Each structure stands twice: as structure tokens, then as C-alpha cells.
Amino acid sequence: MKGDDYILYCHPHQQKTPKDEMLCSWYHEMLEKAKNEGVVLKIGTLHDDYFKQDGVGVADDVTSDPTNIPYFEGDYVPGEVENIIKEVNVQEEARRKEIEGTHVSKRRRSGQKPMGKKRGTRSNPGELVNQGPDKVMLKLGLALINMKQNFIVAHLRSRKFSAAVDRGDDVT
């Protein structure tokens, strides 16, 4: 589609821009060929590698953290993460104000002293206990699920392997 960004976006002006299905098919064919030649170890999707429900199927070395997601500058992912962070911050601020308003009105009615705001203590563990999955990752996973086939991840051989091949070493 005109205006869409692709990893390999340079092409002659007279060449038409392929539709998503055709482009994904071309990328998969190219990556399968690279896999058959031993350059690519594994082909997957961003969603399958980083957003499986309850961590099932997610690689052991991947934590549920947006900073672990591979992306290129100008990608969809960094912009979406920024939007989600803003949204989560607005929701958290509204929730915090609602909670503070509730505590203030309860104290006024009961005549109690104002409670301390210190959180993370034994007597007031606050949000430090029973933390769930990262909210940004959850929302990003939901945003990507319907277009997960468009976010291809190719796991490549290491630079050491590549250098060994270049030197002519036996890598079998």
C-alpha cells in the first residue's frame, strides 16, 4: 500500500507496491531459502516469540519487557509502545486520583489521621505484591495479534559462524 513502510522498501518508481499477502509470501520464500542455506536458524512471528498467552511458548531468555522486542527506528512497534505508555500513564493517574479521593473521604468521615503515603513496606506492600504481567506488553500483544503474520522474526546464525564460513573452516 502506498505510504506503508517495509524493511526492503527501495524499489524503482515505476514498480507497483505489492499487497500485504504477496509481500509476506515473498518474505517467507526468501527466508525459507535462507533457512535451507543455513543462514537463518528459525522463522517466526513477533507475536509468537514475545506475546504468547501466560508465557507459554515464549523463549526462556525473553522477559515480558518492551525493551526486549527487536525493532528498527521508524517501525510500527516503537510508535505503538509510546502510545500505549501514554495511555497506561493516563489510566494509572486517574486510578491513583480515584484511590486518593476515596481515602480522603473515608478519613474525613471517620475522623482518622491522614495515612502515610509510603508504599512498599511490610505494613503497606502496595503495588509491589502480586504484580501481574507488564501492562504495556499486554496491550501491545493485543494490538499485534490481528496482524501478527506481518511481523516476521528471523533468527540468524551468529557472527562467529559467519566468520568461520568466510575463513573456510569446517562448520558441520
Side-chain angles (χ1 to χ4, degrees):
M1 304 296 144
K2 190 166 186 141
D4 283 350
D5 293 325
Y6 301 102
I7 294 173
L8 306 174
Y9 61 90
C10 296
H11 58 84
H13 182 67
Q14 69 273 13
Q15 182 182 7
K16 294 181 180 179
T17 304
K19 297 199 183 301
D20 278 351
E21 282 182 28
M22 189 173 121
L23 189 63
C24 280
S25 173
W26 181 81
Y27 281 140
H28 279 287
E29 287 173 18
M30 179 182 65
L31 290 169
E32 282 297 330
K33 183 177 179 185
K35 186 176 177 183
N36 291 338
E37 292 177 4
V39 176
V40 172
L41 296 172
K42 177 181 152 196
I43 303 165
T45 67
L46 193 68
H47 187 272
D48 290 344
D49 286 357
Y50 294 89
F51 297 98
K52 283 287 192 172
Q53 288 291 337
D54 300 324
V56 176
V58 176
D60 291 337
D61 60 339
V62 176
T63 59
S64 183
D65 182 347
T67 60
N68 291 330
I69 300 172
Y71 63 83
F72 297 98
E73 190 59 39
D75 256 355
Y76 171 81
V77 172
E80 188 65 18
V81 167
E82 286 180 19
N83 292 336
I84 291 170
I85 288 172
K86 288 177 188 173
E87 180 184 324
V88 167
N89 285 341
V90 166
Q91 290 172 349
E92 288 292 318
E93 184 64 22
R95 189 175 69 88
R96 187 183 60 76
K97 285 181 180 179
E98 183 180 308
I99 289 171
E100 284 179 2
T102 304
H103 287 304
V104 169
S105 64
K106 283 182 182 177
R107 279 183 297 208
R108 285 184 185 151
R109 279 185 270 152
S110 64
Q112 294 176 340
K113 291 183 188 177
M115 292 174 50
K117 293 187 177 191
K118 194 172 186 181
R119 289 185 288 181
T121 63
R122 261 187 303 187
S123 60
N124 183 13
E127 296 173 359
L128 299 177
V129 176
N130 297 327
Q131 285 189 342
D134 186 78
K135 292 176 184 176
V136 174
M137 288 295 280
L138 287 173
K139 288 180 179 274
L140 184 59
L142 291 172
L144 293 176
I145 196 162
N146 291 329
M147 50 186 166
K148 69 180 187 177
Q149 73 281 357
N150 294 334
F151 293 92
I152 304 165
V153 175
H155 298 265
L156 306 175
R157 293 258 184 210
S158 70
R159 289 181 187 217
K160 285 183 180 179
F161 180 84
S162 165
V165 170
D166 288 344
R167 286 190 310 269
D169 294 352
D170 182 22
V171 291
T172 55

